[in-house]
Amino acid sequence: MAALSRKERERLRRQELILDVAEETINKHGFDGATMDEVAEKAEVAKGTLYIHFESKAHIYLAISERGSRKLNDQMAKVLTKDLSGLKMVENLGATYLNFIKENPQYYHAFNYYEGVVAETKSDPGGIMMKCKENAKEAMTYIVRALQIGMQDGSIDYSYDPKELGLIIWGASKGIINMVFLKQNSSEFELLNEVEFDLESIMQNFIHLVGTGLIKK
Amino acid sequence: MAALSRKERERLRRQELILDVAEETINKHGFDGATMDEVAEKAEVAKGTLYIHFESKAHIYLAISERGSRKLNDQMAKVLTKDLSGLKMVENLGATYLNFIKENPQYYHAFNYYEGVVAETKSDPGGIMMKCKENAKEAMTYIVRALQIGMQDGSIDYSYDPKELGLIIWGASKGIINMVFLKQNSSEFELLNEVEFDLESIMQNFIHLVGTGLIKK
DNA sequence: TTCAAAAAATGACTGATAGTCAATATGGCG
DNA sequence: CGCCATATTGACTATCAGTCATTTTTTGAA
């Protein structure tokens, strides 16, 4: 890949700076509560400069989602290089996602924002929506590959279609994690108020459930 | 329950009318694209009247979410009265949810909106947030009750904690459905572009998966 | 080194829209 | 019938995303 000119590097550096500041501001105030005036002030640029580098406020948030999904994918890729059974790989990928959003709740929210707007977005200046889609696709590819490895090494039932199973496992994991996040981040939102749930143990039970099944033995 | 005065009935009727119009407008344009000016015009009231009946635009959307979750709960309650095994009840509840959001995509979006704001909402004028929470709790109660029935009639493994299992089943179902909705409603968002997924068959596979397990027999 | 063109940056300004409020209209009760 | 409470109105305000004419900076050729 040809080296970028100094000017191009400067431009990208400026964009990363703006994203850093925007990420902090949105993490602190929420997307609606964060203003472009505040982002500009903290980035020490004029507000018009934000629009030189990004199409819109929404575009900035999608760029944040993209960088989060890229970081997540990097961590998921590492799991695939480990010497593990397919089943263990799938478990590890789930744990990787869980740890990632625990450590980076700002990306969790940005992912949700992306999912909320992706269906209704018609145009895609700068291709940021396309990059987000590619990152989502790549994450799914890691899941499917781990399932295929498991089907080959005998740790996973190969009567399932790996792609469909991948969608089920990935979707189910995200749904459960989302539900527990709702519970934890809403002091009054006690779905089942007698028992304190730990997400780790819930995911363990989910893994156990899909591993061995629900029907009584 | 004491009969409401005619004035009180009139007030509630006016509120339902506004919600009907707001629901249509938001369904057509999305939450951000729908304006209070348009809602007022279509409801044939002045804009100030909307704020007599509702705290804010967000409050209206939460009221829409509440009415959707109330309708869903009514349908879920009916499942619990059927003469079915616990396992079949759980399957039926899942199918009920799936059919409900297929027929009422506007409520699907309203539920997502509610989930997105519930964690950061501090005050709750009119108690609409509380009502939404109660409805969510009630839905969970139906799931847990069906699981308990299944554990009693032998159709479900009783080594699981029914409340935790309820969270897993409900969260997983919503996550999978969400993922398939993303796929279907985004013409370019082809997660796995070779295979066309049908949500019905995916849910069937999910049910089969949690029923019999993933580990190779 | 200078100059012209391109690129980047600026921040006052515009437009859109949620939400407000003083004035008016309507309803209910004594 | 009159007074008070309640409901309604729609012009107006406040906020904030996004724009744009102008200025500054950077780049490259002569």
Short mmCIF file of all heavy atoms in Angstrom, two decimals, chain A residues 134-175:
data_model
loop_
_atom_site.label_atom_id
_atom_site.label_comp_id
_atom_site.label_asym_id
_atom_site.label_seq_id
_atom_site.Cartn_x
_atom_site.Cartn_y
_atom_site.Cartn_z
N GLU A 134 -19.66 -4.23 6.27
CA GLU A 134 -18.57 -5.18 6.04
C GLU A 134 -18.02 -5.71 7.35
O GLU A 134 -17.69 -6.89 7.47
CB GLU A 134 -17.46 -4.50 5.24
CG GLU A 134 -17.81 -4.37 3.76
CD GLU A 134 -16.85 -3.45 3.02
OE1 GLU A 134 -15.90 -2.96 3.66
OE2 GLU A 134 -17.09 -3.20 1.83
N ASN A 135 -17.93 -4.82 8.36
CA ASN A 135 -17.45 -5.26 9.67
C ASN A 135 -18.41 -6.26 10.31
O ASN A 135 -17.99 -7.23 10.93
CB ASN A 135 -17.24 -4.06 10.59
CG ASN A 135 -16.06 -3.20 10.17
OD1 ASN A 135 -15.28 -3.59 9.31
ND2 ASN A 135 -15.92 -2.05 10.80
N ALA A 136 -19.72 -5.99 10.16
CA ALA A 136 -20.72 -6.92 10.70
C ALA A 136 -20.62 -8.27 10.00
O ALA A 136 -20.71 -9.33 10.63
CB ALA A 136 -22.12 -6.32 10.53
N LYS A 137 -20.43 -8.20 8.70
CA LYS A 137 -20.29 -9.42 7.91
C LYS A 137 -19.06 -10.22 8.35
O LYS A 137 -19.09 -11.44 8.46
CB LYS A 137 -20.16 -9.03 6.44
CG LYS A 137 -20.44 -10.11 5.45
CD LYS A 137 -20.42 -9.51 4.06
CE LYS A 137 -21.29 -10.31 3.11
NZ LYS A 137 -21.39 -9.65 1.79
N GLU A 138 -17.98 -9.48 8.60
CA GLU A 138 -16.74 -10.14 9.01
C GLU A 138 -16.91 -10.84 10.35
O GLU A 138 -16.43 -11.96 10.55
CB GLU A 138 -15.63 -9.08 9.09
CG GLU A 138 -14.25 -9.68 9.36
CD GLU A 138 -13.19 -8.59 9.46
OE1 GLU A 138 -13.29 -7.59 8.74
OE2 GLU A 138 -12.27 -8.75 10.28
N ALA A 139 -17.61 -10.18 11.28
CA ALA A 139 -17.85 -10.80 12.59
C ALA A 139 -18.63 -12.10 12.42
O ALA A 139 -18.32 -13.12 13.05
CB ALA A 139 -18.61 -9.82 13.48
N MET A 140 -19.63 -12.05 11.55
CA MET A 140 -20.44 -13.25 11.32
C MET A 140 -19.59 -14.35 10.69
O MET A 140 -19.76 -15.53 11.01
CB MET A 140 -21.61 -12.87 10.40
CG MET A 140 -22.50 -14.03 10.03
SD MET A 140 -23.34 -14.70 11.47
CE MET A 140 -24.49 -13.37 11.78
N THR A 141 -18.66 -13.94 9.83
CA THR A 141 -17.78 -14.91 9.20
C THR A 141 -16.96 -15.66 10.24
O THR A 141 -16.74 -16.87 10.12
CB THR A 141 -16.85 -14.21 8.19
OG1 THR A 141 -17.66 -13.59 7.19
CG2 THR A 141 -15.89 -15.18 7.54
N TYR A 142 -16.49 -14.93 11.28
CA TYR A 142 -15.70 -15.59 12.33
C TYR A 142 -16.55 -16.63 13.06
O TYR A 142 -16.08 -17.73 13.38
CB TYR A 142 -15.16 -14.56 13.32
CG TYR A 142 -14.13 -13.64 12.74
CD1 TYR A 142 -14.17 -12.27 12.98
CD2 TYR A 142 -13.10 -14.14 11.93
CE1 TYR A 142 -13.23 -11.42 12.44
CE2 TYR A 142 -12.16 -13.29 11.38
CZ TYR A 142 -12.23 -11.94 11.63
OH TYR A 142 -11.30 -11.09 11.09
N ILE A 143 -17.81 -16.27 13.36
CA ILE A 143 -18.70 -17.20 14.05
C ILE A 143 -18.91 -18.46 13.20
O ILE A 143 -18.79 -19.59 13.68
CB ILE A 143 -20.07 -16.55 14.31
CG1 ILE A 143 -19.94 -15.29 15.16
CG2 ILE A 143 -21.02 -17.55 14.95
CD1 ILE A 143 -19.71 -15.52 16.62
N VAL A 144 -19.22 -18.25 11.92
CA VAL A 144 -19.50 -19.37 11.03
C VAL A 144 -18.27 -20.28 10.89
O VAL A 144 -18.38 -21.51 10.91
CB VAL A 144 -19.97 -18.85 9.65
CG1 VAL A 144 -20.04 -19.99 8.65
CG2 VAL A 144 -21.31 -18.17 9.79
N ARG A 145 -17.11 -19.64 10.80
CA ARG A 145 -15.88 -20.44 10.64
C ARG A 145 -15.64 -21.30 11.89
O ARG A 145 -15.26 -22.47 11.78
CB ARG A 145 -14.71 -19.50 10.39
CG ARG A 145 -13.53 -20.18 9.72
CD ARG A 145 -12.48 -19.17 9.33
NE ARG A 145 -12.93 -18.27 8.27
CZ ARG A 145 -12.31 -17.14 7.97
NH1 ARG A 145 -11.23 -16.77 8.64
NH2 ARG A 145 -12.75 -16.38 7.00
N ALA A 146 -15.87 -20.72 13.06
CA ALA A 146 -15.69 -21.49 14.29
C ALA A 146 -16.67 -22.67 14.34
O ALA A 146 -16.32 -23.76 14.77
CB ALA A 146 -15.89 -20.58 15.50
N LEU A 147 -17.91 -22.43 13.90
CA LEU A 147 -18.89 -23.51 13.86
C LEU A 147 -18.46 -24.60 12.87
O LEU A 147 -18.58 -25.80 13.14
CB LEU A 147 -20.27 -22.95 13.47
CG LEU A 147 -20.95 -22.09 14.54
CD1 LEU A 147 -22.15 -21.35 13.96
CD2 LEU A 147 -21.39 -22.94 15.74
N GLN A 148 -17.93 -24.20 11.73
CA GLN A 148 -17.47 -25.17 10.73
C GLN A 148 -16.32 -26.00 11.28
O GLN A 148 -16.27 -27.22 11.07
CB GLN A 148 -17.02 -24.43 9.45
CG GLN A 148 -18.20 -23.90 8.63
CD GLN A 148 -17.79 -22.96 7.51
OE1 GLN A 148 -16.76 -22.28 7.63
NE2 GLN A 148 -18.58 -22.92 6.45
N ILE A 149 -15.41 -25.32 12.00
CA ILE A 149 -14.32 -26.06 12.63
C ILE A 149 -14.87 -27.09 13.62
O ILE A 149 -14.44 -28.25 13.65
CB ILE A 149 -13.35 -25.06 13.32
CG1 ILE A 149 -12.58 -24.26 12.26
CG2 ILE A 149 -12.38 -25.81 14.24
CD1 ILE A 149 -11.78 -23.10 12.81
N GLY A 150 -15.87 -26.66 14.41
CA GLY A 150 -16.48 -27.56 15.37
C GLY A 150 -17.17 -28.74 14.73
O GLY A 150 -17.17 -29.85 15.27
N MET A 151 -17.79 -28.49 13.59
CA MET A 151 -18.46 -29.58 12.88
C MET A 151 -17.44 -30.56 12.33
O MET A 151 -17.70 -31.76 12.25
CB MET A 151 -19.34 -29.00 11.77
CG MET A 151 -20.56 -28.30 12.33
SD MET A 151 -21.54 -27.47 11.05
CE MET A 151 -22.88 -26.82 12.07
N GLN A 152 -16.25 -30.05 11.97
CA GLN A 152 -15.19 -30.92 11.45
C GLN A 152 -14.51 -31.71 12.57
O GLN A 152 -14.14 -32.87 12.38
CB GLN A 152 -14.14 -30.09 10.70
CG GLN A 152 -14.60 -29.64 9.33
CD GLN A 152 -13.66 -28.62 8.72
OE1 GLN A 152 -12.72 -28.17 9.37
NE2 GLN A 152 -13.95 -28.22 7.48
N ASP A 153 -14.34 -31.06 13.74
CA ASP A 153 -13.60 -31.73 14.81
C ASP A 153 -14.51 -32.54 15.74
O ASP A 153 -14.05 -33.10 16.73
CB ASP A 153 -12.74 -30.74 15.62
CG ASP A 153 -13.55 -29.78 16.48
OD1 ASP A 153 -14.73 -30.06 16.78
OD2 ASP A 153 -13.01 -28.71 16.83
N GLY A 154 -15.80 -32.55 15.40
CA GLY A 154 -16.72 -33.40 16.15
C GLY A 154 -17.30 -32.77 17.41
O GLY A 154 -18.11 -33.40 18.10
N SER A 155 -16.93 -31.51 17.71
CA SER A 155 -17.46 -30.90 18.93
C SER A 155 -18.83 -30.27 18.72
O SER A 155 -19.48 -29.87 19.68
CB SER A 155 -16.46 -29.87 19.49
OG SER A 155 -16.18 -28.88 18.52
N ILE A 156 -19.25 -30.14 17.44
CA ILE A 156 -20.56 -29.53 17.16
C ILE A 156 -21.32 -30.40 16.17
O ILE A 156 -20.76 -30.90 15.20
CB ILE A 156 -20.37 -28.11 16.58
CG1 ILE A 156 -19.77 -27.18 17.66
CG2 ILE A 156 -21.69 -27.53 16.09
CD1 ILE A 156 -19.50 -25.76 17.20
N ASP A 157 -22.63 -30.53 16.44
CA ASP A 157 -23.53 -31.33 15.60
C ASP A 157 -23.55 -30.79 14.18
O ASP A 157 -23.90 -29.62 13.95
CB ASP A 157 -24.94 -31.25 16.21
CG ASP A 157 -25.93 -32.20 15.56
OD1 ASP A 157 -25.68 -32.62 14.41
OD2 ASP A 157 -26.96 -32.48 16.20
N TYR A 158 -23.18 -31.60 13.20
CA TYR A 158 -23.08 -31.10 11.82
C TYR A 158 -24.36 -31.24 11.02
O TYR A 158 -24.35 -31.05 9.80
CB TYR A 158 -21.89 -31.73 11.08
CG TYR A 158 -21.87 -33.22 11.03
CD1 TYR A 158 -22.82 -33.95 10.32
CD2 TYR A 158 -20.90 -33.93 11.74
CE1 TYR A 158 -22.80 -35.31 10.27
CE2 TYR A 158 -20.86 -35.31 11.71
CZ TYR A 158 -21.83 -36.01 10.97
OH TYR A 158 -21.80 -37.36 10.95
N SER A 159 -25.46 -31.55 11.68
CA SER A 159 -26.72 -31.56 10.94
C SER A 159 -27.25 -30.13 10.73
O SER A 159 -28.18 -29.93 9.95
CB SER A 159 -27.76 -32.40 11.68
OG SER A 159 -28.16 -31.75 12.88
N TYR A 160 -26.69 -29.17 11.42
CA TYR A 160 -27.13 -27.77 11.25
C TYR A 160 -26.42 -27.13 10.07
O TYR A 160 -25.28 -27.45 9.77
CB TYR A 160 -26.81 -26.96 12.51
CG TYR A 160 -27.66 -27.31 13.71
CD1 TYR A 160 -27.18 -28.17 14.69
CD2 TYR A 160 -28.94 -26.78 13.85
CE1 TYR A 160 -27.96 -28.50 15.80
CE2 TYR A 160 -29.71 -27.10 14.95
CZ TYR A 160 -29.23 -27.96 15.92
OH TYR A 160 -29.99 -28.28 17.00
N ASP A 161 -27.08 -26.16 9.44
CA ASP A 161 -26.41 -25.33 8.46
C ASP A 161 -25.57 -24.30 9.21
O ASP A 161 -26.10 -23.55 10.03
CB ASP A 161 -27.46 -24.60 7.60
CG ASP A 161 -26.81 -23.61 6.66
OD1 ASP A 161 -26.16 -24.03 5.69
OD2 ASP A 161 -26.92 -22.39 6.92
N PRO A 162 -24.26 -24.25 8.99
CA PRO A 162 -23.41 -23.39 9.82
C PRO A 162 -23.75 -21.90 9.72
O PRO A 162 -23.63 -21.16 10.69
CB PRO A 162 -21.99 -23.66 9.30
CG PRO A 162 -22.17 -24.35 8.00
CD PRO A 162 -23.47 -25.06 8.05
N LYS A 163 -24.21 -21.48 8.56
CA LYS A 163 -24.53 -20.07 8.43
C LYS A 163 -25.78 -19.70 9.22
O LYS A 163 -25.84 -18.69 9.90
CB LYS A 163 -24.69 -19.70 6.96
CG LYS A 163 -23.35 -19.62 6.25
CD LYS A 163 -23.51 -19.51 4.76
CE LYS A 163 -22.13 -19.37 4.11
NZ LYS A 163 -22.20 -19.54 2.66
N GLU A 164 -26.78 -20.55 9.11
CA GLU A 164 -28.01 -20.29 9.86
C GLU A 164 -27.74 -20.41 11.35
O GLU A 164 -28.20 -19.60 12.16
CB GLU A 164 -29.10 -21.27 9.43
CG GLU A 164 -30.45 -20.90 9.99
CD GLU A 164 -31.57 -21.74 9.42
OE1 GLU A 164 -31.98 -21.51 8.28
OE2 GLU A 164 -32.04 -22.63 10.15
N LEU A 165 -26.97 -21.41 11.74
CA LEU A 165 -26.62 -21.60 13.15
C LEU A 165 -25.83 -20.40 13.65
O LEU A 165 -26.00 -19.95 14.78
CB LEU A 165 -25.82 -22.89 13.30
CG LEU A 165 -25.56 -23.33 14.75
CD1 LEU A 165 -26.85 -23.54 15.51
CD2 LEU A 165 -24.72 -24.60 14.76
N GLY A 166 -24.97 -19.86 12.78
CA GLY A 166 -24.20 -18.68 13.14
C GLY A 166 -25.10 -17.50 13.45
O GLY A 166 -24.89 -16.78 14.44
N LEU A 167 -26.09 -17.34 12.63
CA LEU A 167 -27.04 -16.24 12.85
C LEU A 167 -27.78 -16.44 14.17
O LEU A 167 -27.96 -15.49 14.95
CB LEU A 167 -28.02 -16.16 11.69
CG LEU A 167 -28.89 -14.92 11.59
CD1 LEU A 167 -29.19 -14.59 10.14
CD2 LEU A 167 -30.18 -15.11 12.36
N ILE A 168 -28.18 -17.68 14.44
CA ILE A 168 -28.90 -17.97 15.68
C ILE A 168 -28.02 -17.71 16.90
O ILE A 168 -28.42 -17.01 17.84
CB ILE A 168 -29.38 -19.45 15.68
CG1 ILE A 168 -30.51 -19.63 14.66
CG2 ILE A 168 -29.85 -19.86 17.08
CD1 ILE A 168 -30.93 -21.08 14.47
N ILE A 169 -26.81 -18.25 16.89
CA ILE A 169 -25.90 -18.10 18.03
C ILE A 169 -25.56 -16.62 18.25
O ILE A 169 -25.61 -16.12 19.38
CB ILE A 169 -24.60 -18.89 17.79
CG1 ILE A 169 -24.89 -20.39 17.71
CG2 ILE A 169 -23.58 -18.59 18.87
CD1 ILE A 169 -25.33 -21.00 19.01
N TRP A 170 -25.24 -15.91 17.18
CA TRP A 170 -24.84 -14.51 17.28
C TRP A 170 -26.01 -13.65 17.73
O TRP A 170 -25.89 -12.84 18.64
CB TRP A 170 -24.28 -14.06 15.93
CG TRP A 170 -23.47 -12.79 15.95
CD1 TRP A 170 -23.57 -11.76 15.07
CD2 TRP A 170 -22.43 -12.42 16.86
NE1 TRP A 170 -22.67 -10.78 15.36
CE2 TRP A 170 -21.95 -11.15 16.47
CE3 TRP A 170 -21.84 -13.03 17.97
CZ2 TRP A 170 -20.93 -10.48 17.14
CZ3 TRP A 170 -20.83 -12.36 18.65
CH2 TRP A 170 -20.39 -11.11 18.22
N GLY A 171 -27.15 -13.86 17.09
CA GLY A 171 -28.34 -13.09 17.45
C GLY A 171 -28.79 -13.36 18.87
O GLY A 171 -29.11 -12.42 19.62
N ALA A 172 -28.77 -14.63 19.25
CA ALA A 172 -29.21 -14.99 20.60
C ALA A 172 -28.29 -14.37 21.64
O ALA A 172 -28.74 -13.81 22.65
CB ALA A 172 -29.23 -16.51 20.74
N SER A 173 -26.98 -14.45 21.39
CA SER A 173 -26.01 -13.89 22.34
C SER A 173 -26.23 -12.40 22.52
O SER A 173 -26.27 -11.88 23.65
CB SER A 173 -24.57 -14.12 21.85
OG SER A 173 -24.33 -15.50 21.73
N LYS A 174 -26.40 -11.69 21.40
CA LYS A 174 -26.59 -10.25 21.49
C LYS A 174 -27.89 -9.93 22.21
O LYS A 174 -27.95 -8.98 22.99
CB LYS A 174 -26.60 -9.64 20.09
CG LYS A 174 -25.23 -9.69 19.42
CD LYS A 174 -25.31 -9.29 17.97
CE LYS A 174 -24.95 -7.83 17.78
NZ LYS A 174 -24.98 -7.46 16.35
N GLY A 175 -28.94 -10.71 21.97
CA GLY A 175 -30.23 -10.48 22.61
C GLY A 175 -30.16 -10.65 24.12
O GLY A 175 -30.71 -9.83 24.88
#
